[in-house]
Amino acid sequence: MKVLASILVASLVALTLIGAAVAQRGTGDTVAFLDAALRGAFQAEEAKGPADFGMPVPTPEPSLPEGADAFNPPLLRVSKSPPAVAEFSRTADRDEIVSMTGIKLDHSAEFEIFSQAPSAAKGNVTAVNSLRADKTAATVLLPAALPEWSMYLMWPNRNGYRGQPIAINRTEAWWLGPNKGTAGTVISVYGRNLARSNGTSLSYLYIKPPGASGSYVKPSAVNPFKVDFAIPDMPAGNYEVWVHNTHGGRFGWSGPLRLDVLARSPWADQKNNLLDVKRFGAVGDGTADDTAALQRALEAAKNAAPATIHFPAGTYRITSFLTAPANVGWVGDGMNTTEIRLDRSIDHSMIEIAGENVQFEGLALNANRNTGKQVLMQVSSAENLRIASAKLNAWGVAALQANGASGLSISDSELVENGSFYGSSRQVFLSGNKFRMTGYGESVAALWGGRDFSMVGNELSNADESRDDGHGIGRFFVGQAQFGSISNLYWGNNTSLNAAPHDCDKVDCNKGEQICFEMVGSKIKSDFVKATADTVSFKTLSDLGDVTPGGQDLVIVGGRGAGQHRHIVSSADSTVTLDAPWNVIPDRTSRFALAATASKVAIYNNKFDGRSSYSQHDSDSTSVLLYGNVYDAVVDSNRISRMRHGMMTIALDSTRGLAPYFLQYSNNTVSDSNSGLYVGTTFAESGKPGIWGGLGNIYRNNRFENLAHIGVEYETWTHDGSDYNGTVFERNSFKNVPYGFIEAYQLMWTYDGRFKAAPGSHSMKVNTILHKNDFDRGSATDDGSVGFVTLHPSNSWLNIGSTWTDFASGNDGPVAPKALPN
């Protein structure tokens, strides 16, 4: 009976394929699709569970969340031979495009897509052709007939050889922060596709001990990239946190994240032992020198720790630096009523953190411009530092130097500063703060080699715009590669105002990118020997360099498996071991870069504001700049105004790699700016063919209004390599813009509409897809306006339903190819 049942199931699947599957060509036409269905007949049965696809599931497996979609995919026979998907864009609705890299995904390949309506007992497999494909990459349009906002499984199938499926819209939990706490502590899960239909109302959290059953916990806040919850009352120990966005049934779980539930807070009992500084002789009248009294109080608190020093309302004048001992809190009566003020030049930090579990609350620390070039607070490698409802006045210098810290929280505070350095710190949370920038400060926060970094609900502005030294240069954040790779980064609900360089005669105006990744630490590795699922061997690792706090990634930048990156966890005998297996194992055709990268980034629902001088090209003001080795970043639902460039993606010198892969910019609004979107290869004069500059980047559902110059700047440069493949511009809207979509040479410095081709060799744009974009000149000037132009005919395009309206020229878009893809 079991054999007969399997045959019946396989037969039904085959009939579904034959009767319902269609192949969608590049034009959107459909034709009957039989061959792949017949090849799949009697090869399929219903999957027993997620393990059949290598997908995670809690053990023991709980009942699904209430309202979870039904999802019962067939277990199609998979070949050990190609085709195979190496990397892909993870989020797409029906009638949207998935971009991917892999092997044998060219026009001989078809893609079988399983979907299931939430209320249906069974699903369907639909087969489609790619829109564009070559030996490296392919783009696939999900049919409009699929269920709306579901999880979709997609198998590549080439001449009867079927590869492993990929899952679109599956829940991805990247990291947890804080990753430890007591009952009642609010924890955030960060990732991608965390909420139903990528909305803000529904997500499920399941918490369990390893190997044992657990329970669902109701979230307190939900968005597609962050879900908050309070730790329930449960025994101390380590737990697994699983997330389900309700799509995909048993197949829709994220992988587990570790949460340590503590019996006691790191700051436990501090407030049970309260020491009043006035008991030690402090006066707090702003005139008396309270240095010695405060030092006596700190020494007493150190000996009695855990303890808290209380500073009653007043101004406590000091003439030397103070050292904060471990397990001691500093508490005042409010940041506007209790102040500790440095009243003598000391050329030293005002506060030094000497140990763990220190906190400051309800007071102001005023460096009073007396630390020379030193920061207000020297944190070093402190653990569990908490600053809440405090004011740090560090005018002219940084508020904190926190390299190597762990568990750093700053909330509901005001920081007047040139910006702070967080270096290789981990588990850093900045929330609800007001950052007032001074001294042309580089950025609110700089991170080199760190990870687990979150900024939520902060405000960035200039400290005093009537003074030259009362301005910053407009940066919330700069991530750089000096200390290795950075990962697990989130920005949500932050606001900036007048955030850009204000006077180019006084400050370097090649600045002003509000979220700025400058990931330029990499080198090409050309001595490949062999690879396994999670290792790669080279002739030598002498060029691996010194060990850095963030470590390095191995990125496949060309050849077999291009687009993949893995973190190096160890190296020995010329072999590196990686943190996860390759989806496509590299071979001698593969090109590698040893790189410090940025990855797992979400920038969501922020309001970024530049300056009114945006159209004068006086700065590099940009809401988000992803520059160099940036992967798996999502920029979504941000409101952007008064920028020179609304958003930017930049690949660099292909002699070293330096390439952004699989980025997603979606649902953003850019208004009253110079140009809307910059995508290109720049700042290099030479390159190596065969090394990709951009792979699989998606620009979807963004709205651009009232632009002074160009809607999309698609820039080329004068060198080989750093080519883009599988770039998708989808359902973007442009209104009131004189130049719509321009692909030309050095557009960043073109102001007058006189576009030109690159002389000699140039970076290529391959298989670019334009899908249902709308470019409307609107009220912009008509004189010389251009809707679409490409000045490099060798580049390849496909336009599906994009329109250009009322431009003086270029209203026809890209020239249609002579033949559609097979």
Side-chain angles (χ1 to χ4, degrees), residues 296-460:
R296 288 193 293 270
L298 288 166
E299 185 65 21
K302 176 183 176 181
N303 294 331
T308 292
I309 304 174
H310 177 225
F311 297 82
T315 298
Y316 299 85
R317 177 175 169 268
I318 61 173
T319 54
S320 179
F321 72 90
L322 300 176
T323 299
N327 298 302
V328 171
W330 303 38
V331 175
D333 287 347
M335 72 168 85
N336 296 317
T337 57
T338 296
E339 179 183 70
I340 303 172
R341 186 181 71 215
L342 180 60
D343 217 21
R344 191 178 79 180
S345 179
I346 61 174
D347 195 27
H348 192 284
S349 296
M350 178 181 174
I351 305 291
E352 286 190 346
I353 308 298
E356 61 184 11
N357 308 334
V358 176
Q359 57 181 333
F360 297 84
E361 184 176 358
L363 49 72
L365 301 174
N366 185 358
N368 202 24
R369 309 190 198 189
N370 278 318
T371 60
K373 295 182 179 180
Q374 304 301 312
V375 302
L376 185 153
M377 185 179 291
Q378 182 62 247
V379 176
S380 298
S381 57
E383 184 176 354
N384 299 329
L385 169 62
R386 183 164 64 183
I387 301 172
S389 301
K391 182 174 182 176
L392 276 60
N393 189 339
W395 188 295
V397 297
L400 293 95
Q401 211 282 10
N403 185 32
S406 174
L408 170 57
S409 170
I410 305 176
S411 62
D412 304 312
S413 297
E414 182 176 349
L415 287 79
V416 182
E417 59 167 336
N418 283 16
S420 293
F421 181 68
Y422 296 91
S424 60
S425 296
R426 312 288 178 96
Q427 291 276 306
V428 177
F429 306 96
L430 311 179
S431 59
N433 303 296
K434 295 180 179 179
F435 295 99
R436 308 298 189 217
M437 297 299 288
T438 65
Y440 304 118
E442 184 74 11
S443 65
V444 167
L447 195 70
W448 297 2
R451 60 185 298 132
D452 303 351
F453 180 95
S454 172
M455 294 185 76
V456 175
N458 301 287
E459 179 184 294
L460 165 64

Side-chain angles (χ1 to χ4, degrees), residues 199-345:
T200 57
S201 61
L202 198 60
S203 181
Y204 285 88
L205 298 155
Y206 183 73
I207 302 181
K208 61 183 290 299
S213 298
S215 59
Y216 285 100
V217 175
K218 186 176 181 179
S220 57
V222 173
N223 74 51
F225 311 100
K226 183 170 79 76
V227 178
D228 299 341
F229 69 98
I231 297 177
D233 190 6
M234 54 176 49
N238 67 80
Y239 291 81
E240 297 173 356
V241 178
W242 296 73
V243 188
H244 202 299
N245 66 16
T246 76
H247 302 303
R250 298 173 62 210
F251 301 79
W253 288 100
S254 72
L257 298 173
R258 174 171 170 158
L259 172 65
D260 291 333
V261 176
L262 307 177
R264 294 166 55 84
S265 161
W267 304 277
D269 298 330
Q270 287 186 9
K271 290 189 177 180
N272 293 335
N273 187 9
L274 203 63
L275 306 178
D276 190 322
V277 293
K278 294 198 172 182
R279 286 175 43 201
F280 298 87
V283 177
D285 64 356
T287 301
D289 188 343
D290 286 324
T291 306
L294 298 191
Q295 288 173 336
R296 288 193 293 270
L298 288 166
E299 185 65 21
K302 176 183 176 181
N303 294 331
T308 292
I309 304 174
H310 177 225
F311 297 82
T315 298
Y316 299 85
R317 177 175 169 268
I318 61 173
T319 54
S320 179
F321 72 90
L322 300 176
T323 299
N327 298 302
V328 171
W330 303 38
V331 175
D333 287 347
M335 72 168 85
N336 296 317
T337 57
T338 296
E339 179 183 70
I340 303 172
R341 186 181 71 215
L342 180 60
D343 217 21
R344 191 178 79 180
S345 179

Side-chain angles (χ1 to χ4, degrees), residues 789-809:
V789 65
T790 175
L791 293 173
H792 298 100
S794 55
N795 290 343
S796 54
W797 303 80
L798 180 64
N799 177 33
I800 306 172
S802 296
T803 59
W804 288 262
T805 303
D806 206 25
F807 294 92
S809 62

